[in-house]
Amino acid sequence: MNEFAFAIHGGAGVIDPANFAPDRRQACAAALRGIAERAVAALAAGRAALDVVEQAVVELEDCEYFNAGYGAVLNGDGEVELDAALMDGATRAAGAVASARRTRNPVRAARAVLDDGEHVLLIGAGADAFAAARGVECVDPAWFVTDERRVQLAAAQAEGRVSLDHDERYRDDARGPAWSETERKSGTVGAVARDRAGHLAAATSTGGMTNKRPGRVGDAPLIGAGTFADDASCAVSATGHGEYYIRRVLAHDVHARIAYAGATLAAAADAALAEVGRLGGTGGLIAVGRDGDAVLPFNSPGMYRAWYAGGRVHVGIYADPETD
Ligand code: ASP
């Protein structure tokens, strides 16, 4: 039994090493390591899992390498629409926002929804207004938009495709056209934790898919699809092509396999992700269990991730540590 557990992801996808500039790779890995080490220190000091996953996702949202908050991908109108959720495994309280455009850190808006307790999911202008009224920082929608995202959107629109984040940076990888559009999907950030009191929590935040239809909502803010936590089983945050995760209710599927069928965390996570794969969906998930185990399976070539095990933080991008 591990006293506490922690994992984060920064999205999954093709992430071909041959097209991944070493300085960018190192910067991504260093960002993940720093965020995970601060979170682990907070858990070691006795901080609550819910607070720790919220803070980790705030830091990931503020990091432009990842598709959430500042630097998130753009929809078909060239604007950001941000989705986020978090869930407390102790109380099974949850809060989420979808299609927010003005809230600097959407996970903070989700936390305000959770703390308020009346609703679980707020969308669009209502979500932004609620967050502002609760003292969550608001910004002009243009603040989120980076030059890199404008270029990415222009490329997606020129090819008439709707896609997720990381893959597009690596479109000309070694497998070239052998990668299907679905395999190229990725993005998003998330965190899961078990604290020293045995409580679990999960949080997820994303800009969704590049060139998505305005108004499209992915799996991240849908409790049970991209985000779920229950002290009796596990805490889960997913990344990948959200439509498949919604159709498989992925995060709740991991919980259900543990709670109802007695599966181990690893078996439940693998089996739930395999169901997504059977539909044609790629990506991954991170999960911690009630005993403090952490698993990070993915069926795409890479997933940005960091986790705590054996007394230290590990960082990975590819399946094979040799290429990390
Ligand atoms: N799951 C997210 C969505 O579909 C995106 C991602 O994980 O990259 O909105």
Side-chain angles (χ1 to χ4, degrees):
M1 159 90 70
N2 294 309
E3 217 187 344
F4 56 85
F6 182 76
I8 47 175
H9 68 77
V14 174
I15 321 176
D16 178 43
N19 294 331
F20 197 0
D23 55 340
R24 176 98 181 196
R25 187 153 126 196
Q26 278 160 15
C28 289
L32 290 168
R33 180 176 296 284
I35 292 166
E37 286 180 346
R38 285 188 286 282
V40 165
L43 288 166
R47 291 276 308 277
L50 188 64
D51 295 336
V52 171
V53 296
E54 179 188 355
Q55 177 59 29
V57 169
V58 164
E59 293 185 38
L60 287 160
E61 286 174 341
D62 285 345
C63 184
E64 69 178 282
Y65 303 134
F66 305 112
N67 172 20
Y70 178 71
V73 301
L74 305 180
N75 69 13
D77 288 344
E79 295 170 346
V80 295
E81 286 181 291
L82 306 167
D83 299 342
L86 80 176
M87 186 163 183
D88 180 2
T91 59
R92 282 170 273 180
V97 295
S99 298
R101 289 164 182 266
R102 296 183 167 274
T103 304
R104 174 179 169 153
N105 291 108
V107 74
R108 286 210 194 286
R111 178 64 189 262
V113 174
L114 183 153
D115 288 342
D116 180 68
E118 185 166 9
H119 302 301
V120 168
L121 172 61
L122 297 179
I123 64 164
D128 287 323
F130 175 82
R134 296 293 158 134
V136 177
E137 184 180 351
C138 282
V139 293
D140 188 279
W143 178 84
F144 294 102
V145 182
T146 63
D147 287 344
E148 185 174 341
R149 295 309 190 189
R150 285 197 192 93
V151 169
Q152 185 185 44
L153 176 65
Q157 291 184 327
E159 294 178 26
R161 75 187 143 76
V162 177
S163 57
L164 286 145
D165 183 21
H166 297 312
D167 307 329
E168 296 168 36
R169 293 178 183 149
Y170 314 102
R171 284 184 65 77
D172 300 323
D173 66 12
R175 240 177 86 178
W179 290 110
S180 70
E181 268 310 297
T182 303
E183 284 174 308
R184 293 179 181 282
K185 313 300 183 190
S186 72
T188 296
V189 305
V192 290
R194 177 194 191 275
D195 62 28
R196 296 179 76 157
H199 298 310
L200 308 183
T204 313
S205 181
T206 187
M209 299 169 72
T210 301
N211 200 24
K212 65 186 179 183
R213 279 187 208 285
R216 178 263 187 187
V217 174
D219 59 310
L222 302 184
I223 298 302
T227 308
F228 194 77
D230 188 326
D231 278 6
S233 57
C234 58
V236 179
S237 171
T239 174
H241 191 164
E243 279 71 7
Y244 295 97
Y245 289 71
I246 295 169
R247 289 162 61 197
R248 286 305 313 168
V249 203
L250 178 278
H252 187 269
D253 191 22
V254 179
H255 155 78
R257 288 170 190 273
I258 298 169
Y260 310 146
T264 63
L265 178 71
D270 287 348
L273 187 60
E275 290 296 333
V276 167
R278 260 188 273 286
L279 291 185
T282 56
L285 66 92
I286 55 171
V288 295
R290 63 189 164 209
D291 294 335
D293 297 338
V295 296
L296 305 92
F298 52 98
N299 65 8
S300 49
M303 181 170 79
Y304 293 95
R305 62 200 188 281
W307 69 102
Y308 178 72
R312 69 184 185 89
V313 167
H314 305 258
V315 176
I317 299 175
Y318 305 102
D320 177 2
E322 296 280 307
T323 50
D324 279 339

